[in-house]
Amino acid sequence: MNYVTGVVMQFTTQGADEVVLKARGKFISRCVDVAEVSAKRFLENTVEVNDIVINSEEFKNDEGRDIRVSTIEIGIKKK
Amino acid sequence: MNYVTGVVMQFTTQGADEVVLKARGKFISRCVDVAEVSAKRFLENTVEVNDIVINSEEFKNDEGRDIRVSTIEIGIKKK
């Protein structure tokens, strides 16, 4: 819920026009929850999901193996 | 990995032009993984992520409480 508060405050007390949420791996589903709750419950009719991009990051772990992790960026914009 | 195989087979042996992946709740992150691995590792240069939509489903649980769950739909299309 703290993430939702953060998004709502960006739009209300900070006057932001757009907020971009980013997450990797298993936190992607929580990122979608935060976007949905912010845009549909707390800021209904004020903001909307603008753009969603998914991607992958690749790196080597401590054992030198190639690891791939998914990422998401969700842009929320003032209507 | 079975989901990735399913997507790849839709495009290869079934001749599909578009496949839409859908998931709810905590499985959203796996859905993004499946889309990324399918489009970037197995079908690189052949398909691309076309459109992503997030939404919420609301229903009452067994105790009559309102429950909200996030959903995602990821469209993958032949280039």
Side-chain angles (χ1 to χ4, degrees):
Chain A
M1 188 52 94
N2 280 335
Y3 289 116
V4 175
T5 311
V7 172
V8 172
M9 285 187 64
Q10 284 294 317
F11 284 111
T12 53
T13 69
Q14 304 297 313
D17 287 324
E18 183 173 13
V19 172
V20 179
L21 308 176
K22 301 183 186 186
R24 300 199 306 177
K26 67 177 178 176
F27 298 104
I28 286 175
S29 39
R30 195 196 296 183
C31 183
V32 174
D33 285 339
V34 172
E36 282 290 305
V37 173
S38 303
K40 299 208 173 142
R41 192 182 306 172
F42 288 94
L43 297 166
E44 211 186 341
N45 303 322
T46 313
V47 306
E48 62 192 347
V49 171
N50 181 45
D51 195 32
I52 306 171
V53 178
I54 63 173
N55 212 333
S56 298
E57 284 182 14
E58 307 207 21
F59 56 92
K60 287 191 190 294
N61 71 359
D62 294 343
E63 293 152 8
R65 289 185 60 179
D66 287 321
I67 302 290
R68 193 203 58 76
V69 64
S70 301
T71 64
I72 196 166
E73 293 191 20
I74 304 177
I76 305 176
K77 211 170 184 175
K78 261 201 178 134
K79 276 188 184 175
Chain B
M1 189 50 95
N2 281 334
Y3 289 116
V4 174
T5 310
V7 172
V8 172
M9 284 186 64
Q10 284 294 318
F11 284 112
T12 53
T13 69
Q14 303 298 313
D17 287 324
E18 183 172 15
V19 173
V20 179
L21 308 176
K22 302 183 185 185
R24 299 199 306 176
K26 67 176 177 177
F27 298 104
I28 286 174
S29 41
R30 196 197 295 185
C31 183
V32 174
D33 285 339
V34 171
E36 282 291 305
V37 172
S38 303
K40 298 208 172 141
R41 192 182 304 172
F42 287 94
L43 297 167
E44 211 186 341
N45 303 323
T46 313
V47 305
E48 63 192 345
V49 171
N50 180 46
D51 194 31
I52 307 171
V53 178
I54 62 173
N55 212 332
S56 298
E57 285 181 15
E58 307 208 21
F59 56 92
K60 285 190 191 298
N61 72 359
D62 294 343
E63 292 152 8
R65 290 185 59 177
D66 287 322
I67 302 289
R68 194 203 58 77
V69 63
S70 301
T71 64
I72 196 167
E73 294 191 19
I74 305 177
I76 306 176
K77 211 169 183 175
K78 261 199 178 136
K79 276 188 183 174

